Amino acid sequence: IGVPLRTDHPVVVTVVNHAVNLAPGTMVVDIDDDPTVVYVHVLHLEDPADVHAEVRQLETLTLAAFGLEPIREVA
């Protein structure tokens, strides 16, 4: 599942990547640049929208933790 991020800050992308990998049954398999998209493999996937929401929440929390602002809006 591809989840576009609202930032390309390397610290945020790294923290989101590691947090997703720590969750059981999930793994980041690829990250694209410009715009940044995190591709997540999920075992026992029920609803892709839940994965989008969870990764976006991780991104939002990471941005807030480092005092950063998103650089773009994504749908």
Side-chain angles (χ1 to χ4, degrees):
I1 297 172
V3 182
L5 298 183
R6 296 173 296 155
T7 186
D8 57 358
H9 195 283
V11 171
V12 175
V13 175
T14 301
V15 170
V16 169
N17 177 19
H18 288 300
V20 168
N21 286 334
L22 287 172
T26 62
M27 179 175 64
V28 172
V29 293
D30 196 12
I31 300 172
D32 279 342
D33 295 330
D34 198 26
T36 304
V37 179
V38 176
Y39 293 93
V40 182
H41 174 76
V42 181
L43 292 176
H44 309 294
L45 177 66
E46 293 181 18
D47 187 4
D50 289 344
V51 176
H52 280 265
E54 290 174 15
V55 173
R56 293 265 171 80
Q57 179 66 16
L58 285 170
E59 180 190 26
T60 299
L61 292 171
T62 305
L63 286 166
F66 289 100
L68 300 169
E69 295 291 327
I71 59 172
R72 67 182 144 273
E73 290 298 319
V74 291

Short mmCIF file of all heavy atoms in Angstrom, two decimals:
data_model
loop_
_atom_site.label_atom_id
_atom_site.label_comp_id
_atom_site.label_asym_id
_atom_site.label_seq_id
_atom_site.Cartn_x
_atom_site.Cartn_y
_atom_site.Cartn_z
N ILE A 1 0.86 -1.16 0.00
CA ILE A 1 0.00 0.00 0.00
C ILE A 1 0.90 1.23 0.00
O ILE A 1 1.79 1.35 0.84
CB ILE A 1 -0.90 0.02 1.25
CG1 ILE A 1 -1.82 -1.19 1.22
CG2 ILE A 1 -1.67 1.31 1.34
CD1 ILE A 1 -2.61 -1.37 2.46
N GLY A 2 0.70 2.13 -0.95
CA GLY A 2 1.48 3.36 -1.02
C GLY A 2 0.82 4.46 -0.21
O GLY A 2 -0.36 4.74 -0.40
N VAL A 3 1.58 5.06 0.69
CA VAL A 3 1.07 6.15 1.52
C VAL A 3 1.94 7.38 1.28
O VAL A 3 3.09 7.43 1.70
CB VAL A 3 1.09 5.78 3.02
CG1 VAL A 3 0.51 6.92 3.86
CG2 VAL A 3 0.36 4.48 3.28
N PRO A 4 1.38 8.41 0.60
CA PRO A 4 2.15 9.64 0.39
C PRO A 4 2.34 10.39 1.72
O PRO A 4 1.40 10.48 2.51
CB PRO A 4 1.28 10.45 -0.56
CG PRO A 4 0.19 9.56 -1.01
CD PRO A 4 0.09 8.43 -0.05
N LEU A 5 3.54 10.86 1.93
CA LEU A 5 3.82 11.66 3.13
C LEU A 5 3.74 13.14 2.80
O LEU A 5 3.89 13.54 1.65
CB LEU A 5 5.18 11.31 3.71
CG LEU A 5 5.38 9.87 4.17
CD1 LEU A 5 6.78 9.71 4.78
CD2 LEU A 5 4.32 9.45 5.17
N ARG A 6 3.53 13.95 3.83
CA ARG A 6 3.42 15.39 3.64
C ARG A 6 4.76 16.09 3.80
O ARG A 6 4.85 17.31 3.72
CB ARG A 6 2.42 15.97 4.64
CG ARG A 6 1.02 15.44 4.41
CD ARG A 6 0.06 15.88 5.48
NE ARG A 6 0.51 15.29 6.74
CZ ARG A 6 0.25 15.79 7.93
NH1 ARG A 6 -0.47 16.88 8.05
NH2 ARG A 6 0.68 15.20 9.02
N THR A 7 5.81 15.32 4.02
CA THR A 7 7.13 15.89 4.18
C THR A 7 8.16 14.96 3.57
O THR A 7 7.90 13.78 3.37
CB THR A 7 7.46 16.13 5.67
OG1 THR A 7 8.72 16.81 5.78
CG2 THR A 7 7.54 14.83 6.44
N ASP A 8 9.34 15.52 3.28
CA ASP A 8 10.44 14.68 2.83
C ASP A 8 11.63 14.81 3.77
O ASP A 8 12.73 14.40 3.45
CB ASP A 8 10.84 15.03 1.40
CG ASP A 8 11.23 16.48 1.23
OD1 ASP A 8 11.17 17.25 2.21
OD2 ASP A 8 11.58 16.88 0.11
N HIS A 9 11.38 15.36 4.97
CA HIS A 9 12.45 15.53 5.95
C HIS A 9 12.99 14.14 6.32
O HIS A 9 12.23 13.26 6.69
CB HIS A 9 11.92 16.24 7.19
CG HIS A 9 13.00 16.75 8.08
ND1 HIS A 9 13.71 15.91 8.91
CD2 HIS A 9 13.51 17.99 8.25
CE1 HIS A 9 14.61 16.62 9.58
NE2 HIS A 9 14.51 17.89 9.18
N PRO A 10 14.30 13.93 6.20
CA PRO A 10 14.86 12.59 6.40
C PRO A 10 14.61 12.01 7.80
O PRO A 10 14.43 10.81 7.94
CB PRO A 10 16.35 12.76 6.12
CG PRO A 10 16.61 14.22 6.10
CD PRO A 10 15.31 14.91 5.84
N VAL A 11 14.59 12.84 8.82
CA VAL A 11 14.34 12.34 10.17
C VAL A 11 12.91 11.82 10.29
O VAL A 11 12.68 10.74 10.84
CB VAL A 11 14.62 13.43 11.23
CG1 VAL A 11 14.16 12.98 12.61
CG2 VAL A 11 16.10 13.79 11.25
N VAL A 12 11.95 12.54 9.74
CA VAL A 12 10.56 12.11 9.81
C VAL A 12 10.36 10.83 9.02
O VAL A 12 9.73 9.88 9.50
CB VAL A 12 9.62 13.23 9.29
CG1 VAL A 12 8.18 12.73 9.24
CG2 VAL A 12 9.73 14.47 10.16
N VAL A 13 10.92 10.76 7.83
CA VAL A 13 10.78 9.56 7.00
C VAL A 13 11.41 8.36 7.72
O VAL A 13 10.84 7.26 7.74
CB VAL A 13 11.41 9.77 5.61
CG1 VAL A 13 11.38 8.49 4.79
CG2 VAL A 13 10.68 10.89 4.87
N THR A 14 12.56 8.54 8.35
CA THR A 14 13.23 7.46 9.07
C THR A 14 12.42 6.99 10.27
O THR A 14 12.25 5.79 10.48
CB THR A 14 14.64 7.91 9.51
OG1 THR A 14 15.40 8.27 8.36
CG2 THR A 14 15.35 6.80 10.27
N VAL A 15 11.91 7.92 11.06
CA VAL A 15 11.13 7.55 12.24
C VAL A 15 9.85 6.81 11.84
O VAL A 15 9.50 5.79 12.43
CB VAL A 15 10.81 8.79 13.11
CG1 VAL A 15 9.80 8.45 14.20
CG2 VAL A 15 12.09 9.33 13.73
N VAL A 16 9.15 7.31 10.82
CA VAL A 16 7.94 6.64 10.34
C VAL A 16 8.29 5.24 9.84
O VAL A 16 7.60 4.26 10.16
CB VAL A 16 7.24 7.48 9.25
CG1 VAL A 16 6.14 6.67 8.57
CG2 VAL A 16 6.67 8.75 9.85
N ASN A 17 9.36 5.12 9.07
CA ASN A 17 9.81 3.83 8.56
C ASN A 17 10.05 2.85 9.70
O ASN A 17 9.55 1.72 9.69
CB ASN A 17 11.07 4.02 7.73
CG ASN A 17 11.67 2.74 7.21
OD1 ASN A 17 11.01 1.71 7.15
ND2 ASN A 17 12.93 2.79 6.85
N HIS A 18 10.80 3.26 10.70
CA HIS A 18 11.12 2.36 11.81
C HIS A 18 9.88 2.02 12.63
O HIS A 18 9.72 0.87 13.06
CB HIS A 18 12.21 2.96 12.69
CG HIS A 18 13.56 2.95 12.06
ND1 HIS A 18 14.21 1.80 11.67
CD2 HIS A 18 14.39 3.96 11.73
CE1 HIS A 18 15.38 2.09 11.13
NE2 HIS A 18 15.51 3.41 11.15
N ALA A 19 9.01 2.98 12.85
CA ALA A 19 7.79 2.72 13.62
C ALA A 19 6.90 1.70 12.91
O ALA A 19 6.34 0.81 13.54
CB ALA A 19 7.04 4.02 13.87
N VAL A 20 6.77 1.85 11.60
CA VAL A 20 5.96 0.89 10.84
C VAL A 20 6.59 -0.50 10.91
O VAL A 20 5.90 -1.50 11.11
CB VAL A 20 5.81 1.34 9.36
CG1 VAL A 20 5.23 0.23 8.50
CG2 VAL A 20 4.94 2.59 9.29
N ASN A 21 7.91 -0.58 10.78
CA ASN A 21 8.59 -1.87 10.83
C ASN A 21 8.50 -2.54 12.20
O ASN A 21 8.58 -3.76 12.29
CB ASN A 21 10.05 -1.73 10.42
CG ASN A 21 10.21 -1.52 8.93
OD1 ASN A 21 9.37 -1.93 8.14
ND2 ASN A 21 11.29 -0.88 8.54
N LEU A 22 8.33 -1.76 13.25
CA LEU A 22 8.21 -2.33 14.60
C LEU A 22 6.83 -2.93 14.86
O LEU A 22 6.68 -3.75 15.76
CB LEU A 22 8.53 -1.27 15.65
CG LEU A 22 9.99 -0.89 15.78
CD1 LEU A 22 10.15 0.31 16.71
CD2 LEU A 22 10.81 -2.06 16.29
N ALA A 23 5.83 -2.52 14.11
CA ALA A 23 4.48 -3.04 14.31
C ALA A 23 4.40 -4.46 13.74
O ALA A 23 4.80 -4.70 12.60
CB ALA A 23 3.45 -2.14 13.63
N PRO A 24 3.88 -5.40 14.51
CA PRO A 24 3.78 -6.78 14.01
C PRO A 24 2.92 -6.86 12.73
O PRO A 24 1.86 -6.26 12.64
CB PRO A 24 3.08 -7.52 15.15
CG PRO A 24 3.33 -6.69 16.36
CD PRO A 24 3.40 -5.27 15.87
N GLY A 25 3.43 -7.59 11.74
CA GLY A 25 2.69 -7.81 10.51
C GLY A 25 2.82 -6.71 9.48
O GLY A 25 2.16 -6.77 8.44
N THR A 26 3.66 -5.72 9.73
CA THR A 26 3.85 -4.64 8.76
C THR A 26 5.33 -4.46 8.47
O THR A 26 6.18 -4.72 9.33
CB THR A 26 3.27 -3.29 9.24
OG1 THR A 26 3.96 -2.89 10.44
CG2 THR A 26 1.79 -3.39 9.53
N MET A 27 5.62 -3.99 7.26
CA MET A 27 7.00 -3.74 6.88
C MET A 27 7.03 -2.75 5.73
O MET A 27 6.26 -2.86 4.77
CB MET A 27 7.66 -5.05 6.44
CG MET A 27 9.09 -4.90 6.00
SD MET A 27 9.91 -6.45 5.63
CE MET A 27 8.97 -7.03 4.24
N VAL A 28 7.91 -1.77 5.83
CA VAL A 28 8.12 -0.84 4.72
C VAL A 28 8.98 -1.57 3.69
O VAL A 28 10.05 -2.08 4.01
CB VAL A 28 8.81 0.46 5.18
CG1 VAL A 28 9.18 1.31 3.99
CG2 VAL A 28 7.90 1.24 6.12
N VAL A 29 8.49 -1.65 2.45
CA VAL A 29 9.22 -2.36 1.41
C VAL A 29 9.92 -1.42 0.43
O VAL A 29 10.83 -1.84 -0.27
CB VAL A 29 8.31 -3.34 0.64
CG1 VAL A 29 7.88 -4.48 1.55
CG2 VAL A 29 7.12 -2.66 0.03
N ASP A 30 9.48 -0.15 0.40
CA ASP A 30 10.11 0.81 -0.51
C ASP A 30 9.72 2.21 -0.09
O ASP A 30 8.67 2.42 0.53
CB ASP A 30 9.68 0.56 -1.95
CG ASP A 30 10.57 1.24 -2.97
OD1 ASP A 30 11.66 1.73 -2.59
OD2 ASP A 30 10.18 1.29 -4.15
N ILE A 31 10.56 3.16 -0.43
CA ILE A 31 10.28 4.58 -0.21
C ILE A 31 10.66 5.31 -1.48
O ILE A 31 11.81 5.23 -1.92
CB ILE A 31 11.07 5.15 0.99
CG1 ILE A 31 10.72 4.40 2.28
CG2 ILE A 31 10.78 6.65 1.14
CD1 ILE A 31 11.59 4.77 3.45
N ASP A 32 9.71 6.01 -2.08
CA ASP A 32 9.97 6.83 -3.26
C ASP A 32 10.16 8.28 -2.84
O ASP A 32 9.61 8.73 -1.84
CB ASP A 32 8.80 6.77 -4.25
CG ASP A 32 8.85 5.52 -5.11
OD1 ASP A 32 9.91 4.89 -5.19
OD2 ASP A 32 7.81 5.20 -5.71
N ASP A 33 10.93 9.00 -3.64
CA ASP A 33 11.15 10.43 -3.40
C ASP A 33 10.39 11.26 -4.41
O ASP A 33 10.08 10.80 -5.51
CB ASP A 33 12.64 10.76 -3.53
CG ASP A 33 13.46 10.08 -2.45
OD1 ASP A 33 12.94 9.87 -1.35
OD2 ASP A 33 14.63 9.76 -2.72
N ASP A 34 10.11 12.49 -4.01
CA ASP A 34 9.57 13.54 -4.88
C ASP A 34 8.30 13.16 -5.62
O ASP A 34 8.35 12.97 -6.84
CB ASP A 34 10.64 14.01 -5.86
CG ASP A 34 10.30 15.37 -6.45
OD1 ASP A 34 9.57 16.13 -5.79
OD2 ASP A 34 10.76 15.66 -7.56
N PRO A 35 7.18 13.09 -5.00
CA PRO A 35 6.94 13.24 -3.55
C PRO A 35 7.26 11.94 -2.81
O PRO A 35 7.31 10.86 -3.40
CB PRO A 35 5.45 13.53 -3.47
CG PRO A 35 4.87 12.81 -4.63
CD PRO A 35 5.92 12.89 -5.72
N THR A 36 7.45 12.07 -1.51
CA THR A 36 7.78 10.92 -0.69
C THR A 36 6.56 10.02 -0.52
O THR A 36 5.51 10.47 -0.07
CB THR A 36 8.30 11.37 0.69
OG1 THR A 36 9.41 12.25 0.49
CG2 THR A 36 8.74 10.19 1.53
N VAL A 37 6.72 8.76 -0.90
CA VAL A 37 5.67 7.76 -0.74
C VAL A 37 6.29 6.55 -0.04
O VAL A 37 7.31 6.04 -0.48
CB VAL A 37 5.06 7.33 -2.09
CG1 VAL A 37 3.99 6.27 -1.89
CG2 VAL A 37 4.50 8.52 -2.83
N VAL A 38 5.66 6.12 1.05
CA VAL A 38 6.10 4.95 1.78
C VAL A 38 5.21 3.79 1.35
O VAL A 38 3.99 3.88 1.42
CB VAL A 38 5.99 5.18 3.31
CG1 VAL A 38 6.35 3.93 4.08
CG2 VAL A 38 6.86 6.34 3.73
N TYR A 39 5.83 2.70 0.90
CA TYR A 39 5.08 1.51 0.49
C TYR A 39 5.16 0.48 1.61
O TYR A 39 6.25 0.06 2.00
CB TYR A 39 5.63 0.94 -0.81
CG TYR A 39 5.38 1.87 -1.97
CD1 TYR A 39 6.33 2.81 -2.35
CD2 TYR A 39 4.16 1.85 -2.64
CE1 TYR A 39 6.09 3.69 -3.40
CE2 TYR A 39 3.91 2.73 -3.69
CZ TYR A 39 4.88 3.64 -4.05
OH TYR A 39 4.63 4.52 -5.07
N VAL A 40 3.99 0.10 2.12
CA VAL A 40 3.90 -0.76 3.29
C VAL A 40 3.28 -2.10 2.90
O VAL A 40 2.23 -2.14 2.24
CB VAL A 40 3.05 -0.10 4.39
CG1 VAL A 40 2.98 -0.96 5.63
CG2 VAL A 40 3.58 1.29 4.73
N HIS A 41 3.93 -3.18 3.31
CA HIS A 41 3.37 -4.52 3.17
C HIS A 41 2.67 -4.86 4.48
O HIS A 41 3.25 -4.69 5.56
CB HIS A 41 4.46 -5.54 2.90
CG HIS A 41 3.98 -6.96 2.88
ND1 HIS A 41 3.28 -7.49 1.83
CD2 HIS A 41 4.09 -7.93 3.81
CE1 HIS A 41 2.98 -8.74 2.11
NE2 HIS A 41 3.46 -9.03 3.31
N VAL A 42 1.42 -5.33 4.41
CA VAL A 42 0.64 -5.62 5.60
C VAL A 42 0.09 -7.04 5.50
O VAL A 42 -0.57 -7.38 4.52
CB VAL A 42 -0.54 -4.63 5.76
CG1 VAL A 42 -1.33 -4.92 7.02
CG2 VAL A 42 -0.03 -3.19 5.77
N LEU A 43 0.37 -7.84 6.52
CA LEU A 43 -0.23 -9.17 6.60
C LEU A 43 -1.66 -9.04 7.10
O LEU A 43 -1.95 -8.21 7.96
CB LEU A 43 0.56 -10.06 7.56
CG LEU A 43 1.96 -10.45 7.14
CD1 LEU A 43 2.63 -11.25 8.25
CD2 LEU A 43 1.94 -11.26 5.85
N HIS A 44 -2.54 -9.86 6.59
CA HIS A 44 -3.94 -9.90 7.03
C HIS A 44 -4.62 -8.53 6.89
O HIS A 44 -5.28 -8.05 7.79
CB HIS A 44 -4.06 -10.39 8.48
CG HIS A 44 -3.32 -11.68 8.70
ND1 HIS A 44 -3.69 -12.87 8.11
CD2 HIS A 44 -2.21 -11.96 9.44
CE1 HIS A 44 -2.85 -13.81 8.49
NE2 HIS A 44 -1.93 -13.29 9.28
N LEU A 45 -4.42 -7.92 5.74
CA LEU A 45 -4.99 -6.61 5.47
C LEU A 45 -6.51 -6.68 5.37
O LEU A 45 -7.05 -7.51 4.65
CB LEU A 45 -4.42 -6.06 4.16
CG LEU A 45 -4.97 -4.72 3.68
CD1 LEU A 45 -4.57 -3.62 4.66
CD2 LEU A 45 -4.47 -4.42 2.29
N GLU A 46 -7.18 -5.81 6.11
CA GLU A 46 -8.64 -5.74 6.04
C GLU A 46 -9.11 -4.48 5.33
O GLU A 46 -9.99 -4.53 4.50
CB GLU A 46 -9.24 -5.82 7.44
CG GLU A 46 -9.02 -7.18 8.08
CD GLU A 46 -9.62 -7.28 9.46
OE1 GLU A 46 -10.50 -6.45 9.79
OE2 GLU A 46 -9.20 -8.18 10.20
N ASP A 47 -8.51 -3.33 5.66
CA ASP A 47 -8.95 -2.07 5.07
C ASP A 47 -7.73 -1.18 4.80
O ASP A 47 -7.09 -0.71 5.75
CB ASP A 47 -9.93 -1.36 5.99
CG ASP A 47 -10.55 -0.13 5.36
OD1 ASP A 47 -10.28 0.14 4.18
OD2 ASP A 47 -11.31 0.56 6.06
N PRO A 48 -7.41 -0.94 3.52
CA PRO A 48 -6.26 -0.08 3.20
C PRO A 48 -6.37 1.32 3.82
O PRO A 48 -5.35 1.93 4.14
CB PRO A 48 -6.27 -0.01 1.68
CG PRO A 48 -6.98 -1.24 1.25
CD PRO A 48 -8.00 -1.51 2.32
N ALA A 49 -7.58 1.81 3.99
CA ALA A 49 -7.76 3.15 4.58
C ALA A 49 -7.22 3.19 6.01
O ALA A 49 -6.72 4.23 6.46
CB ALA A 49 -9.23 3.56 4.55
N ASP A 50 -7.30 2.07 6.73
CA ASP A 50 -6.76 2.03 8.09
C ASP A 50 -5.24 2.18 8.08
O ASP A 50 -4.67 2.86 8.93
CB ASP A 50 -7.13 0.71 8.77
CG ASP A 50 -8.60 0.62 9.12
OD1 ASP A 50 -9.29 1.65 9.12
OD2 ASP A 50 -9.06 -0.51 9.38
N VAL A 51 -4.59 1.57 7.09
CA VAL A 51 -3.13 1.68 6.98
C VAL A 51 -2.75 3.12 6.68
O VAL A 51 -1.84 3.67 7.30
CB VAL A 51 -2.59 0.72 5.90
CG1 VAL A 51 -1.09 0.91 5.72
CG2 VAL A 51 -2.91 -0.72 6.25
N HIS A 52 -3.46 3.75 5.74
CA HIS A 52 -3.20 5.16 5.43
C HIS A 52 -3.34 6.02 6.68
O HIS A 52 -2.48 6.85 6.97
CB HIS A 52 -4.18 5.66 4.35
CG HIS A 52 -3.79 5.28 2.97
ND1 HIS A 52 -3.08 6.11 2.15
CD2 HIS A 52 -4.01 4.15 2.26
CE1 HIS A 52 -2.88 5.52 0.99
NE2 HIS A 52 -3.44 4.31 1.03
N ALA A 53 -4.42 5.81 7.42
CA ALA A 53 -4.67 6.61 8.62
C ALA A 53 -3.59 6.41 9.68
O ALA A 53 -3.13 7.39 10.30
CB ALA A 53 -6.04 6.28 9.19
N GLU A 54 -3.15 5.18 9.86
CA GLU A 54 -2.13 4.90 10.88
C GLU A 54 -0.77 5.50 10.50
O GLU A 54 -0.09 6.08 11.35
CB GLU A 54 -2.02 3.41 11.11
CG GLU A 54 -3.25 2.84 11.80
CD GLU A 54 -3.23 1.33 11.92
OE1 GLU A 54 -2.15 0.73 11.72
OE2 GLU A 54 -4.29 0.77 12.21
N VAL A 55 -0.38 5.37 9.24
CA VAL A 55 0.90 5.95 8.81
C VAL A 55 0.84 7.47 8.87
O VAL A 55 1.78 8.12 9.32
CB VAL A 55 1.29 5.45 7.40
CG1 VAL A 55 2.53 6.18 6.88
CG2 VAL A 55 1.52 3.95 7.40
N ARG A 56 -0.27 8.06 8.47
CA ARG A 56 -0.42 9.52 8.56
C ARG A 56 -0.37 9.99 10.01
O ARG A 56 0.18 11.04 10.31
CB ARG A 56 -1.74 9.97 7.92
CG ARG A 56 -1.78 9.76 6.44
CD ARG A 56 -1.39 11.04 5.69
NE ARG A 56 -1.25 10.77 4.28
CZ ARG A 56 -2.27 10.68 3.43
NH1 ARG A 56 -3.49 10.86 3.83
NH2 ARG A 56 -2.03 10.44 2.15
N GLN A 57 -0.98 9.21 10.92
CA GLN A 57 -0.93 9.57 12.35
C GLN A 57 0.51 9.52 12.85
O GLN A 57 0.94 10.40 13.59
CB GLN A 57 -1.83 8.64 13.16
CG GLN A 57 -1.83 8.92 14.64
CD GLN A 57 -2.44 10.27 15.00
OE1 GLN A 57 -3.13 10.90 14.20
NE2 GLN A 57 -2.18 10.73 16.20
N LEU A 58 1.27 8.49 12.47
CA LEU A 58 2.68 8.43 12.84
C LEU A 58 3.44 9.63 12.31
O LEU A 58 4.27 10.22 13.01
CB LEU A 58 3.31 7.14 12.28
CG LEU A 58 2.98 5.84 12.98
CD1 LEU A 58 3.49 4.67 12.16
CD2 LEU A 58 3.59 5.83 14.36
N GLU A 59 3.15 10.01 11.07
CA GLU A 59 3.82 11.17 10.48
C GLU A 59 3.47 12.45 11.25
O GLU A 59 4.33 13.26 11.57
CB GLU A 59 3.44 11.32 9.02
CG GLU A 59 4.11 12.52 8.37
CD GLU A 59 3.57 12.83 6.99
OE1 GLU A 59 2.40 12.49 6.71
OE2 GLU A 59 4.31 13.44 6.21
N THR A 60 2.19 12.62 11.57
CA THR A 60 1.74 13.81 12.30
C THR A 60 2.41 13.90 13.66
O THR A 60 2.89 14.96 14.07
CB THR A 60 0.21 13.79 12.47
OG1 THR A 60 -0.39 13.80 11.16
CG2 THR A 60 -0.29 14.98 13.27
N LEU A 61 2.47 12.78 14.38
CA LEU A 61 3.11 12.76 15.69
C LEU A 61 4.61 13.04 15.59
O LEU A 61 5.17 13.75 16.43
CB LEU A 61 2.86 11.41 16.37
CG LEU A 61 1.42 11.13 16.77
CD1 LEU A 61 1.27 9.68 17.23
CD2 LEU A 61 0.95 12.10 17.85
N THR A 62 5.25 12.50 14.57
CA THR A 62 6.69 12.73 14.39
C THR A 62 6.97 14.18 14.04
O THR A 62 7.92 14.78 14.57
CB THR A 62 7.25 11.78 13.31
OG1 THR A 62 6.92 10.43 13.65
CG2 THR A 62 8.75 11.92 13.18
N LEU A 63 6.16 14.75 13.16
CA LEU A 63 6.33 16.17 12.83
C LEU A 63 6.20 17.03 14.08
O LEU A 63 7.00 17.95 14.32
CB LEU A 63 5.29 16.60 11.78
CG LEU A 63 5.53 16.14 10.35
CD1 LEU A 63 4.27 16.34 9.51
CD2 LEU A 63 6.71 16.88 9.74
N ALA A 64 5.20 16.73 14.89
CA ALA A 64 4.98 17.51 16.12
C ALA A 64 6.13 17.32 17.11
O ALA A 64 6.57 18.28 17.75
CB ALA A 64 3.66 17.09 16.77
N ALA A 65 6.64 16.10 17.22
CA ALA A 65 7.73 15.83 18.15
C ALA A 65 8.99 16.62 17.82
O ALA A 65 9.73 17.03 18.71
CB ALA A 65 8.05 14.33 18.17
N PHE A 66 9.24 16.84 16.52
CA PHE A 66 10.43 17.57 16.10
C PHE A 66 10.14 19.03 15.78
O PHE A 66 11.03 19.75 15.31
CB PHE A 66 11.08 16.86 14.90
CG PHE A 66 11.74 15.57 15.27
CD1 PHE A 66 11.10 14.36 15.04
CD2 PHE A 66 12.98 15.55 15.87
CE1 PHE A 66 11.68 13.16 15.39
CE2 PHE A 66 13.59 14.36 16.22
CZ PHE A 66 12.93 13.15 15.99
N GLY A 67 8.91 19.46 16.00
CA GLY A 67 8.55 20.86 15.75
C GLY A 67 8.60 21.24 14.28
O GLY A 67 8.93 22.38 13.95
N LEU A 68 8.26 20.31 13.41
CA LEU A 68 8.30 20.56 11.98
C LEU A 68 6.89 20.72 11.42
O LEU A 68 5.93 20.25 12.01
CB LEU A 68 9.01 19.40 11.26
CG LEU A 68 10.45 19.14 11.68
CD1 LEU A 68 10.95 17.83 11.11
CD2 LEU A 68 11.35 20.29 11.24
N GLU A 69 6.80 21.36 10.27
CA GLU A 69 5.53 21.55 9.58
C GLU A 69 5.53 20.74 8.30
O GLU A 69 6.58 20.57 7.66
CB GLU A 69 5.32 23.03 9.23
CG GLU A 69 5.19 23.94 10.44
CD GLU A 69 3.90 23.71 11.19
OE1 GLU A 69 2.89 23.38 10.55
OE2 GLU A 69 3.92 23.86 12.41
N PRO A 70 4.37 20.24 7.88
CA PRO A 70 4.30 19.55 6.58
C PRO A 70 4.61 20.53 5.45
O PRO A 70 4.35 21.72 5.57
CB PRO A 70 2.86 19.06 6.49
CG PRO A 70 2.13 19.62 7.65
CD PRO A 70 3.10 20.29 8.56
N ILE A 71 5.20 20.01 4.37
CA ILE A 71 5.56 20.90 3.26
C ILE A 71 4.58 20.79 2.10
O ILE A 71 4.65 21.57 1.16
CB ILE A 71 6.99 20.63 2.76
CG1 ILE A 71 7.15 19.19 2.30
CG2 ILE A 71 8.01 20.99 3.83
CD1 ILE A 71 8.48 18.91 1.61
N ARG A 72 3.67 19.81 2.15
CA ARG A 72 2.66 19.68 1.08
C ARG A 72 1.43 18.98 1.64
O ARG A 72 1.49 18.28 2.64
CB ARG A 72 3.22 18.90 -0.10
CG ARG A 72 3.51 17.45 0.15
CD ARG A 72 4.10 16.76 -1.08
NE ARG A 72 5.08 15.78 -0.71
CZ ARG A 72 6.36 15.98 -0.49
NH1 ARG A 72 6.87 17.17 -0.64
NH2 ARG A 72 7.17 15.00 -0.14
N GLU A 73 0.34 19.19 0.96
CA GLU A 73 -0.90 18.51 1.30
C GLU A 73 -1.06 17.30 0.40
O GLU A 73 -0.67 17.33 -0.75
CB GLU A 73 -2.11 19.45 1.11
CG GLU A 73 -2.16 20.57 2.14
CD GLU A 73 -2.30 20.06 3.56
OE1 GLU A 73 -3.06 19.12 3.81
OE2 GLU A 73 -1.60 20.61 4.44
N VAL A 74 -1.59 16.24 0.93
CA VAL A 74 -1.86 15.04 0.13
C VAL A 74 -3.31 14.65 0.33
O VAL A 74 -3.92 14.90 1.35
CB VAL A 74 -0.93 13.87 0.52
CG1 VAL A 74 0.49 14.14 0.11
CG2 VAL A 74 -1.02 13.55 1.98
N ALA A 75 -3.86 14.04 -0.71
CA ALA A 75 -5.27 13.66 -0.65
C ALA A 75 -5.47 12.39 0.13
O ALA A 75 -4.66 11.59 0.32
CB ALA A 75 -5.81 13.47 -2.06
#
